[in-house]
Amino acid sequence: MNSSISFTDPGAILGKTFLRIAQVILVILAVGAGYMAYLGSEGLFSDWNIEMDSDLVEFFPGVDPESWIIYLFLGLALKFLFWFGILAWLERKI
C-alpha cells in the first residue's frame, strides 16, 4: 500500500492546504502574542493608563493592572496554540 497523498481527490488536497495555511497563521499569532507578553513583563506597557473594573479587582485583589496585560497576551498565545493542536489533529484525520 502506498501511504502518500492520493492526487485523485482534490478536496483532500485543498483541505490539507487550507489547514497548513491556518496552522502557519496560528503559529505566527502565538509567537507574536508570546512576544507581547514578554515585552509586557519587561515593562514596555508600564506607562499605559489602565483602569480595572471594580468587579475584577474584588475577585483578584493582588493583581496590578500591568499584570493584566501580560495575562491577556499569555491567554491569547495559549488559545492560538490550542487551536493549532485542533487543526493538527484534524489534518491527520483527512
Side-chain angles (χ1 to χ4, degrees):
M1 295 213 157
N2 191 0
S3 63
S4 65
I5 297 176
S6 172
F7 291 105
T8 59
D9 187 10
I13 296 171
L14 183 63
K16 283 187 179 278
T17 304
F18 173 75
L19 288 175
R20 288 281 168 108
I21 292 170
Q23 286 175 354
V24 168
I25 291 171
L26 284 173
V27 165
I28 290 171
L29 289 173
V31 168
Y35 185 64
M36 293 298 285
Y38 167 72
L39 291 177
S41 70
E42 292 294 318
L44 181 71
F45 305 117
S46 62
D47 56 344
W48 284 14
N49 188 11
I50 300 172
E51 293 183 17
M52 298 305 296
D53 190 28
S54 62
D55 294 335
L56 289 175
V57 174
E58 289 175 9
F59 287 127
F60 306 103
V63 180
D64 59 341
E66 293 174 7
S67 297
W68 282 105
I69 295 174
I70 299 169
Y71 296 146
L72 170 76
F73 286 121
L74 283 177
L76 281 174
L78 289 175
K79 183 189 279 189
F80 292 141
L81 289 177
F82 172 76
W83 282 108
F84 172 79
I86 295 289
L87 291 182
W89 173 80
L90 188 61
E91 184 181 10
R92 280 190 271 143
K93 294 295 180 182
I94 291 181

